[in-house]
Amino acid sequence: MGRLSTHVLDTAHGCPAAGMKVTLQRVKGEHVEVVQRVTLNADGRADGPLLTGDTMAVGTWRLSFEAAEYFRARGVTLPEPPFVGTVHLDFGIADVQGHYHVPLLVSPWSWSTYRGS
């Protein structure tokens, strides 16, 4: 059975991004639908899969990570506007039986991702 998961590592502090807010959206052309909002746990992960079973669907999806809000809550002084504010990550699901793990490595000045396992 397919599933979508994520986790975030704070590379500035060398720890999981506990408390970061993440929004999952379905993108259909110009239409964007919010599917779920979560706050990451102490391990920097959602408490469960973001999509699984019948909720998995072929198409374009977006994860929005509230990075600037997270870093400000940790006491980091950021410029206005911040260099990294909200990270919007669009990705495709082609196989509803697959496991799509989307990690984010983020600091106030950079971010990167990859398809994890």
Side-chain angles (χ1 to χ4, degrees):
M1 176 176 8
R3 65 185 169 127
L4 169 66
S5 59
T6 190
H7 85 276
V8 180
L9 297 175
D10 172 347
T11 58
H13 297 97
C15 63
M20 183 178 286
K21 295 176 185 170
V22 180
T23 302
L24 173 65
Q25 301 166 317
R26 179 81 188 267
V27 180
K28 295 180 181 178
E30 296 298 314
H31 179 71
V32 179
E33 172 190 357
V34 173
V35 174
Q36 186 175 174
R37 288 187 170 95
V38 299
T39 300
L40 301 181
N41 62 25
D43 196 32
R45 299 175 184 272
D47 287 330
L50 299 173
L51 296 172
T52 187
D54 291 342
T55 62
M56 287 287 288
V58 170
T60 302
W61 295 82
R62 175 176 296 148
L63 283 167
S64 296
F65 301 89
E66 299 300 332
E69 180 181 324
Y70 162 81
F71 284 112
R72 284 188 176 117
R74 287 199 53 121
V76 177
T77 302
L78 300 176
E80 191 55 50
F83 185 73
V84 174
T86 302
V87 175
H88 299 288
L89 178 57
D90 289 5
F91 61 96
I93 292 179
D95 175 11
V96 296
Q97 297 301 316
H99 177 200
Y100 290 79
H101 182 66
V102 184
L104 179 71
L105 308 174
V106 66
S107 81
W109 310 108
S110 67
W111 63 269
S112 65
T113 191
Y114 55 94
R115 182 174 173 186
S117 58

